[in-house]
Amino acid sequence: MKYLLYGKGISNKSIKRYFDKMDIKYHIFDDSSIDNINLEDFDIIIKSPGIPNDTNFMKLAKIGKKTIISDLELYHLIKMNQYKIVISGSNGKTTVTSMLNEVLKDEFCCGGNIGIPLFDLIFDNKDGIIIEASSYMLEYSKLLRPNIYVLLNLEKHHIAHHKTFNGYIKAKLMPLKNMDGKDVFIYEYENNIINKVINLFSCNSLTFSLNNTNATCYVKDDFVYLNNEKLISINNFSLPGDHNLKNYLATILTLYVVNNKYLNVKYLGRLFKYQGLSHRLERILLDNYKSTVFINDSKSTNLYSLISATHFIKQNYPLKKKIILVGGNYNNENICEYIRILKDFEYVILFSIVGKVIFDKTNIGNYFSTLEEALNFLFTNKLDNAVVLFSPGFQSYDEFISYEKRGDFFKEYLNKKRTI
């Protein structure tokens, strides 16, 4: 068996280290490589998640009917007997993965799309693994069979990659094809897309809802109910907002499936103390701007993250002047809904590639070519009794290599303002 690693991202570099240690034959290649390869020399192609499906290499591989898999698929095939919790969804998957890791870290390792490549965990001897899985990973994981699969939501996302919404949905539903009555699928009760197809699959399904008492886990009178029994007050939760309340419900339901012991005081205490992710609705205060709240939501890379962020500040800062910074890379997204959201803000600051697209179409707000220029403009205005929402709403690949780098830049810029 000889493998071709297509792409030199962190997931394939992790596999490379594993192959080197295990003396497994492979070749690593990407579109910038100058070496010529013969596809017939390879049995399996392992594709880095971020590589598009329509490269010339991918077209040739598909014409040649080569087996193409993800690092997630290979990990599953090697660690077939390990207990696997897979988390996916258009939004919230990193938060839920992190919440579960906070509670289960003694018995489970954690990796995948959350930033730790799976093959860095291949020799971990813990009983189980929590995996954050993107649609890019799932589309080439045809044999993956999780013990628990959590699909938080399905919104129109990554259409440039999958070409159609149906293609995106197909990728997200891939794990269900291999699950049976021993496995559990967890999803939101109100998800009509899943409700239409759930009977096509053999796994057990459990649901969560903010208010529907027909769900397995729901909220009523500020209490979480599980199987119609009162469990805990939502006042125990540290993270605000309805989107986070859903994340808590999905996490609690998953813990219940893994082992009921994780719903006792010891383990739930870990969940209650969880303070959230960097770059997700991260509140920043500056002593010299006492009446202004800055919100770092750089992890907002799509419309639905932006919607959640705007709902959050409306709920929590109704009396403050609302300022928003939006921008990033443009992948032909439909910007009509973005425009509707921006009209709710007193001040709109647009930056980078998509900022120019929005500004040219609407003349809303002020446009700047870079985030730094946008922030410079922000601080020329009177920032009194304001909430400044940095929720870009688009991917970062124009100026920054990741949303983390973008968020770090935002925080570093604010930190410099502390001394001015």
Side-chain angles (χ1 to χ4, degrees):
M1 187 74 69
K2 191 170 181 184
Y3 296 91
L4 177 62
L5 303 180
Y6 180 38
K8 297 178 181 179
I10 62 169
S11 60
N12 272 357
K13 285 179 179 177
S14 179
I15 295 173
K16 178 183 182 301
R17 292 191 291 271
Y18 169 73
F19 281 174
D20 287 340
K21 186 168 186 175
M22 302 301 292
D23 198 24
I24 295 172
K25 292 181 179 180
Y26 71 92
H27 182 77
I28 188 164
F29 166 87
D30 69 9
D31 293 321
S32 67
S33 301
I34 59 173
D35 52 328
N36 293 318
I37 59 169
N38 182 357
L39 281 172
E40 295 304 315
D41 293 339
F42 302 96
D43 302 296
I44 294 177
I45 298 167
I46 304 171
K47 174 184 166 296
S48 283
I51 292 179
N53 288 321
D54 54 2
T55 65
N56 288 333
F57 179 87
M58 286 294 290
K59 290 175 182 176
L60 290 172
K62 289 177 180 179
I63 290 171
K65 297 183 179 179
K66 304 303 294 185
T67 299
I68 305 170
I69 66 172
S70 66
D71 66 321
L72 174 56
E73 181 87 316
L74 182 65
Y75 182 93
H76 172 69
L77 294 173
I78 293 171
K79 304 273 279 190
M80 189 80 74
N81 295 323
Q82 187 180 36
Y83 194 99
K84 298 180 187 72
I85 303 170
V86 176
I87 314 296
S88 198
S90 304
N91 293 292
K93 54 186 178 290
T94 305
T95 298
V96 171
T97 302
S98 300
M99 286 178 170
L100 287 168
N101 184 50
E102 191 67 28
V103 178
L104 300 173
K105 56 191 174 186
D106 296 337
E107 291 88 18
F108 284 69
C109 54
C110 180
N113 196 57
I114 197 169
I116 302 172
L118 292 173
F119 276 79
D120 282 11
L121 303 169
I122 195 73
F123 296 111
D124 195 297
N125 59 6
K126 289 183 178 176
D127 295 336
I129 184 170
I130 308 159
I131 300 172
E132 180 188 332
S134 68
S135 59
Y136 296 179
M137 297 165 69
L138 292 172
E139 67 179 338
Y140 290 103
S141 301
K142 295 182 179 179
L143 299 178
L144 173 68
R145 179 187 168 185
N147 299 86
I148 303 174
Y149 180 42
V150 183
L151 184 54
L152 297 167
N153 40 58
L154 280 173
E155 309 291 355
K156 289 184 179 179
H157 196 23
H158 295 314
I159 304 303
H161 179 88
H162 295 287
K163 304 307 180 187
T164 65
F165 188 35
N166 282 339
Y168 175 69
I169 293 171
K170 182 179 178 182
K172 289 292 192 181
L173 297 181
M174 188 72 72
L176 297 179
K177 295 180 179 181
N178 301 313
M179 296 168 68
D180 64 19
K182 297 177 183 177
D183 309 313
V184 178
F185 176 48
I186 293 172
Y187 70 99
E188 188 175 4
Y189 183 86
E190 288 82 4
N191 193 315
N192 291 326
I193 295 172
I194 297 176
N195 285 330
K196 288 178 182 177
V197 299
I198 190 63
N199 290 333
L200 300 176
F201 303 103
S202 302
C203 55
N204 293 308
S205 59
L206 301 178
T207 57
F208 60 91
S209 173
L210 290 185
N211 47 45
N212 197 309
T213 57
N214 291 315
T216 315
C217 187
Y218 58 87
V219 176
K220 180 181 176 183
D221 298 329
D222 290 340
F223 276 85
V224 174
Y225 283 76
L226 179 62
N227 292 325
N228 293 321
E229 293 186 5
K230 186 185 289 188
L231 183 65
I232 48 171
S233 168
I234 64 172
N235 294 323
N236 288 298
F237 301 149
S238 302
L239 304 183
D242 286 349
H243 63 294
N244 275 320
L245 187 49
K246 291 180 184 181
N247 292 336
Y248 280 115
L249 296 181
T251 300
I252 288 168
L253 203 45
T254 305
L255 294 172
Y256 164 71
V257 174
V258 176
N259 192 318
N260 200 43
K261 75 175 185 179
Y262 293 116
L263 298 184
N264 68 25
V265 174
K266 171 187 173 182
Y267 291 105
L268 284 182
R270 293 181 180 180
L271 180 60
F272 300 156
K273 291 177 183 177
Y274 176 70
Q275 294 300 309
L277 301 166
S278 294
H279 313 301
R280 170 60 82 204
L281 295 175
E282 192 176 7
R283 188 167 174 259
I284 302 169
L285 300 176
L286 303 180
D287 289 342
N288 42 341
Y289 294 90
K290 291 185 182 296
S291 65
T292 296
V293 178
F294 299 88
I295 305 290
N296 171 28
D297 195 41
S298 183
K299 200 174 187 305
S300 165
T301 58
N302 59 61
L303 173 65
Y304 299 95
S305 289
L306 180 59
I307 290 172
S308 293
T310 56
H311 285 170
F312 169 77
I313 65 163
K314 285 178 182 178
Q315 288 175 347
N316 291 276
Y317 305 101
L319 301 180
K320 286 189 178 291
K321 176 173 60 182
K322 296 174 181 61
I323 303 170
I324 190 168
L325 291 97
V326 167
N329 201 20
Y330 182 52
N331 285 313
N332 296 314
E333 291 95 341
N334 185 334
I335 64 170
C336 292
E337 281 298 302
Y338 287 92
I339 293 168
R340 182 184 63 77
I341 292 168
L342 295 180
K343 288 180 178 178
D344 288 340
F345 286 80
E346 286 92 338
Y347 296 93
V348 175
I349 302 175
L350 304 167
F351 65 92
S352 200
I353 297 171
V354 77
K356 184 73 162 59
V357 173
I358 295 173
F359 185 75
D360 286 347
K361 286 181 179 290
T362 65
N363 207 32
I364 291 175
N366 294 273
Y367 165 71
F368 302 90
S369 60
T370 67
L371 175 57
E372 183 172 19
E373 291 173 0
L375 291 171
N376 288 341
F377 173 78
L378 171 68
F379 278 90
T380 64
N381 290 273
K382 285 190 68 177
L383 292 177
D384 56 319
N385 194 34
V387 55
V388 177
L389 175 62
F390 176 55
S391 187
F394 294 87
Q395 292 183 329
S396 60
Y397 307 135
D398 51 337
E399 290 187 73
F400 305 94
I401 62 171
S402 66
Y403 74 80
E404 292 98 337
K405 293 294 183 184
R406 180 171 65 185
D408 287 342
F409 180 89
F410 179 73
K411 291 196 289 185
E412 288 165 8
Y413 187 99
L414 293 186
N415 195 46
K416 291 175 183 176
K417 292 295 180 182
R418 293 182 192 276
T419 58
I420 296 175

